[in-house]
Amino acid sequence: MRGSGKNAVLMVFTHSPYGSSLAGAGLDAALASAAFEQPVDLLFIGDGVLQLQSKQDNQALKIKHMGKVLASLPLYGIDRVYVDAKAVSRYQLDLDASLLATEALEPDKMHKLMVDYDHLLSF
Amino acid sequence: MILHTLNASPSSAAFQDCLSLLHAKDALVLLGDGVYAAVAGTHAYEALQGSPARVHVLLSDALLAGVNPNVQGIVPIDMEGLVSLTENFPRQQAWY
Amino acid sequence: MLHRSAFDNEGFLRELSDWSPTVAEQLADAEGIALTEAHWEILYLLRTYYDEYNSTPAMRSLVKYCASKLGADKGKSVYLLSLFPGSPVKLGSKIAGLPKPHNCL
């Protein structure tokens, strides 16, 4: 956690990667922010955890591979990534095979994390 | 302290996600399709009654949807009330 | 030589797969850059980056990526600036045939 008082931003993703343009817009915002030395931390809740599915394959459809974009986050200095533990087990995601290192949290811990930031951005 | 806004129907994943993150000192505003969670007697309404957070419903949206905004445990607010809530809460989480 | 219609109005290649070393020469020529071995190394690295991350890098991520793939000496913005003066990401991406970066001024 980055702690409050430093204009810390937590981006909260609650939607699946391809069901809407939200995931893409949120990722763009995170990358742009980090490119300007304003790194953000990320939290994936509910369907948002589906963005971490490691077996995404965009070969058949020529659209941007969201998982690959996610994998570039550490290069931008974004390395605090949290996920909704319940949703991960609900969708049977294998986080060990995931695209980037994450920390799984139960609801109470997620709430505690959220109130530690100055701003929440929901995507 | 988090101000939650729910703009999705009670059968949505957004509703469930939101519900699991409502804590004491938080407030929730039901707006758009979220107002259907204010229908007394429904599962969603009961679930919200069981949460420790303060629950509001946006008056204009409830009236538009034909949902009675004056039910026990839910405080109706107008747009002005919503604005002052956002001023009082340092952080806001939008569920939609 | 590719026809003008293969490029957008800023000179970025529209189709990633239209790229070839010849196209790179054409693009570099338009920018007044004579490509050397050092340039090619970065151009192919940019292509690999795009393939791996499906996004055009920003300066920050490109520097880090260069450092991890080519060593600390080349993972520096001054090094990239010496090859692609002004804006290495924009210029490099353009010559490497990547889509225009949109998270970079």
Side-chain angles (χ1 to χ4, degrees):
Chain A
M1 294 179 213
R2 290 185 196 273
S4 55
K6 283 176 275 180
N7 246 4
V9 174
L10 180 69
M11 294 189 53
V12 184
F13 292 85
T14 58
H15 294 87
S16 62
Y18 304 105
S20 68
S21 60
L22 284 161
L27 267 182
D28 279 349
L31 295 185
S33 186
F36 289 103
E37 307 299 325
Q38 304 282 327
V40 292
D41 295 349
L42 310 183
L43 170 62
F44 293 87
I45 298 178
D47 286 359
V49 302
L50 295 168
Q51 295 184 38
L52 293 151
Q53 164 64 261
S54 59
K55 291 174 190 146
Q56 298 169 45
D57 186 343
N58 66 340
Q59 288 303 310
L61 295 166
K62 296 222 163 173
I63 53 176
K64 196 180 257 198
H65 189 298
M66 298 300 225
K68 286 187 174 180
V69 183
L70 265 182
S72 74
L73 291 174
L75 290 176
Y76 286 82
I78 297 176
D79 43 25
R80 292 184 183 87
V81 181
Y82 304 92
V83 296
D84 176 349
K86 283 213 163 71
V88 166
S89 68
R90 177 157 27 102
Y91 283 117
Q92 300 181 3
L93 288 180
D94 179 8
L95 281 189
D96 290 335
S98 181
L99 306 145
L100 71 171
T102 58
E103 187 181 337
L105 303 173
E106 295 298 324
D108 281 358
K109 286 265 175 62
M110 282 199 283
H111 191 274
K112 213 167 161 225
L113 178 82
M114 291 166 87
V115 297
D116 201 46
Y117 289 80
D118 301 300
H119 303 285
L120 303 173
L121 289 178
S122 333
F123 284 95
Chain B
M1 273 172 49
I2 300 175
L3 173 64
H4 303 262
T5 57
L6 175 70
N7 190 350
S9 94
S11 22
S12 67
F15 178 77
Q16 289 305 326
D17 295 340
C18 172
L19 195 61
S20 67
L21 286 165
L22 294 176
H23 278 225
K25 291 188 190 164
D26 285 0
L28 166 66
V29 179
L30 304 170
L31 43 88
D33 277 355
V35 302
Y36 296 109
V39 178
T42 59
H43 283 301
Y45 172 83
E46 297 300 338
L48 286 180
Q49 293 310 300
S51 103
R54 201 146 42 94
V55 183
H56 298 278
V57 65
L58 191 64
L59 193 56
S60 53
D61 289 8
L63 293 174
L64 182 66
V67 170
N68 177 11
N70 299 300
V71 288
Q72 204 184 353
I74 297 184
V75 181
I77 52 168
D78 56 13
M79 205 47 98
E80 219 170 282
L82 177 58
V83 170
S84 65
L85 267 180
T86 61
E87 285 167 352
N88 290 327
F89 280 82
R91 54 192 79 75
Q92 189 180 334
Q93 170 63 32
W95 304 99
Y96 53 96
Chain C
M1 292 280 274
L2 281 179
H3 187 261
R4 277 185 57 172
S5 62
F7 307 92
D8 71 10
N9 51 16
E10 283 184 66
F12 281 87
L13 195 60
R14 291 183 200 276
E15 276 294 323
L16 195 65
S17 56
D18 276 351
W19 189 85
S20 67
T22 316
V23 173
E25 297 281 6
Q26 186 182 348
L27 284 158
D29 213 40
E31 299 291 340
I33 291 177
L35 297 178
T36 64
E37 276 308 307
H39 289 95
W40 286 109
E41 186 177 46
I42 301 299
L43 294 179
Y44 281 108
L45 193 81
L46 279 161
R47 301 277 304 177
T48 313
Y49 182 104
Y50 194 85
D51 189 50
E52 194 172 343
Y53 300 121
N54 257 221
S55 47
T56 309
M59 192 62 178
R60 180 178 185 148
S61 60
L62 181 60
V63 165
K64 215 164 171 179
Y65 193 67
C66 285
S68 75
K69 298 284 178 183
L70 307 175
D73 286 354
K74 291 175 179 171
K76 291 197 173 78
S77 48
V78 276
Y79 176 70
L80 296 171
L81 275 161
S82 72
L83 296 173
F84 303 98
S87 174
V89 169
K90 192 173 172 192
L91 217 46
S93 299
K94 194 178 199 175
I95 299 170
L98 308 185
K100 183 174 157 12
H102 60 285
N103 53 3
C104 161
L105 291 181

